[in-house]
DNA sequence: AGTGAGGCCTGAAAGC
DNA sequence: TGCTTTCAGGCCTCAC
């Protein structure tokens, strides 16, 4: 499920709920993820106290006081559960469970496209998985100019490049469509055809869309401890995503003529856009 | 080098 | 109703 806003929301929730918690026991019930959980994972994180939770791209990084950091990715279907020990009942696909002094943290991931591993805290940034991630959308250097530069000589559809985590990290399939809608750019446009102005517009649209989603996700935080222990994800108010045939919010065109929001496949992924508003 | 297809997994929803 | 097919918010590897 999670794209940047969801990961940010979950990271914030974890930070709030688990900071200062000591890991009494970490149990790995299934280690077959995108990359296997290291054999010594449990013993390496056990007795560590959680100093802080950070987000790098779509990764959650949990720094422990024993100079180890947990690297966590939720993949497509990953969920984080946080609940008291008394109310915890291990459910299907709860593959990794932490018993801490502040309660249970469980990693549930039906499809196991996610991953959990660890490394020395000082080596997180140079870690194989982390080092290839591109600029965070909220990084100071993120700008139209940066995108314009990165898009030079790229004939790839702009929508496909937005999903390339080595250029900008954190954008997933939903927000790629949404950001292009906000900046009024057709997803099929070759990246190199975008003007500097359009890149500026896209850069700010990315930030706006993600920021809105984080704020909305944050507002659901108050009930993140639902009875089932899951945190719940922000139910997004999308403009175009999964709205095939429906009018887009800003469109004043004739729906019967335009056909409403169109769905196409780019780079193997569903892509949604308004053929009237986006050029 | 850059691109598209296929693969990893399971479950929900749609199609028959 | 029940079986089969398709699709899913991520990401990697492989063949061209």
């Amino acid at each position: 499920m999670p794209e940047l806003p969801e990961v940010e929301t979950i990271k914030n929730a974890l930070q709030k709920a688990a900071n200062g918690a000591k890991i009494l026991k970490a149990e790995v019930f299934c280690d077959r993820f995108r990359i296997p959980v290291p054999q010594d994972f449990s013993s390496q994180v056990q007795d560590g106290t959680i100093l802080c939770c950070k987000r790098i791209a779509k990764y959650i990084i949990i720094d422990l006081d024993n100079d180890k950091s947990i690297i966590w990715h939720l993949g497509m279907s990953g969920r984080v559960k946080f609940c008291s020990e008394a109310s915890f009942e291990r459910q299907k696909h709860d593959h990794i469970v932490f018993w801490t002094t502040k309660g249970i943290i469980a990693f549930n991931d039906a499809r196991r496209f996610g991953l959990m591993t660890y490394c020395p805290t000082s080596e997180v940034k140079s870690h194989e998985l982390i080092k290839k991630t591109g600029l965070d959308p909220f990084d100071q250097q993120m700008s139209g100019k940066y995108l314009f530069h990165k898009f030079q000589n790229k004939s790839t559809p702009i929508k496909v490049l937005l999903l390339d985590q080595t250029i900008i990290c954190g954008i997933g399939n939903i927000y790629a469509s949404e950001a292009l809608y906000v900046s009024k750019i057709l997803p099929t446009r070759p990246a190199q055809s975008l003007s500097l102005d359009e890149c500026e517009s896209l850069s700010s649209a990315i930030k706006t869309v993600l920021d809105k989603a984080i704020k909305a996700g944050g507002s659901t935080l108050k009930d993140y401890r639902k009875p089932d222990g899951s945190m719940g994800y922000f139910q997004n108010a999308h403009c175009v995503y999964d709205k095939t045939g429906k009018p887009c919010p800003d469109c004043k065109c004739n729906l019967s003529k335009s056909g409403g929001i169109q769905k196409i496949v780019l780079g193997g992924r569903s892509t949604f856009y308004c053929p009237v508003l986006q050029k």
Side-chain angles (χ1 to χ4, degrees):
Chain A
M1 291 208 161
E3 298 188 32
L4 186 148
E6 289 74 26
V7 178
E8 180 73 14
T9 301
I10 290 163
K11 179 267 289 177
N12 288 337
L14 264 179
Q15 168 95 358
K16 203 170 161 189
N19 256 21
K22 183 178 178 181
I23 298 170
L24 303 170
K25 185 172 69 167
E27 217 167 338
V28 179
F29 295 96
C30 174
D31 60 5
R32 289 167 295 129
F33 287 87
R34 195 171 99 211
I35 61 169
V37 181
Q39 289 285 319
D40 61 350
F41 179 83
S42 296
S43 61
Q44 290 293 324
V45 302
Q46 188 170 322
D47 295 329
T49 294
I50 295 173
L51 293 178
C52 74
C53 306
K54 296 179 287 198
R55 178 188 62 76
I56 301 178
K58 292 177 199 168
Y59 291 91
I60 295 170
I61 311 295
I62 302 175
D63 287 345
L64 304 178
D65 70 346
N66 61 0
D67 298 320
K68 301 287 190 302
S69 291
I70 295 168
I71 299 176
W72 192 357
H73 196 288
L74 299 171
M76 291 262 253
S77 56
R79 288 166 171 268
V80 180
K81 298 178 174 183
F82 195 92
C83 64
S84 69
E85 200 174 324
S87 65
F88 178 67
E89 245 180 273
R90 195 172 150 247
Q91 286 167 317
K92 201 175 179 185
H93 306 305
D94 282 348
H95 299 308
I96 302 177
V97 178
F98 297 91
W99 276 261
T100 82
T101 50
K102 289 190 166 185
I104 305 277
I105 301 166
F107 178 23
N108 181 290
D109 188 2
R111 294 171 74 180
R112 284 187 271 122
F113 287 174
L115 66 88
M116 189 177 277
T117 187
Y118 79 92
C119 76
T121 299
S122 60
E123 292 171 21
V124 169
K125 281 187 179 143
S126 57
H127 191 279
E128 263 325 292
L129 295 165
I130 304 294
K131 72 177 180 196
K132 49 189 167 193
T133 59
L135 213 50
D136 192 271
F138 296 110
D139 192 296
Q140 294 246 320
Q141 292 173 57
M142 168 68 179
S143 66
K145 222 171 166 180
Y146 171 80
L147 293 182
F148 187 72
H149 173 69
K150 284 288 181 186
F151 294 163
Q152 289 313 295
N153 306 317
K154 303 267 189 191
S155 54
T156 312
I158 180 60
K159 153 69 164 40
V160 175
L161 271 203
L162 287 183
L163 295 178
D164 183 341
Q165 303 296 303
T166 67
I167 298 177
I168 327 161
C169 64
I171 301 177
N173 201 36
I174 292 178
Y175 296 113
S177 282
E178 295 295 316
L180 285 167
Y181 169 75
V182 171
S183 51
K184 301 185 168 67
I185 297 166
L186 275 177
T188 48
R189 288 266 303 276
Q192 61 193 355
S193 76
L194 268 67
S195 68
L196 182 57
D197 272 359
E198 287 175 316
C199 288
E200 291 290 357
S201 160
L202 181 56
S203 167
S204 75
I206 290 167
K207 293 181 202 192
T208 309
V209 165
L210 294 179
D211 190 54
K212 257 191 189 165
I214 291 170
K215 292 218 165 78
S219 72
T220 66
L221 269 182
K222 52 183 174 298
D223 63 6
Y224 70 83
R225 289 189 214 203
K226 293 189 292 191
D228 67 356
S230 73
M231 288 196 205
Y233 295 106
F234 164 53
Q235 275 304 305
N236 222 320
H238 307 128
C239 294
V240 290
Y241 187 83
D242 208 18
K243 305 273 186 195
T244 311
K246 295 190 176 140
C248 73
D250 299 327
C251 212
K252 294 174 180 65
C253 60
N254 186 331
L255 187 64
S256 61
K257 269 190 195 166
S258 73
I261 289 163
Q262 303 291 302
K263 175 180 174 175
I264 53 171
V265 175
L266 288 177
R269 313 293 303 276
S270 298
T271 304
F272 302 85
Y273 68 99
C274 170
V276 176
L277 209 70
Q278 292 173 253
K279 305 286 180 201

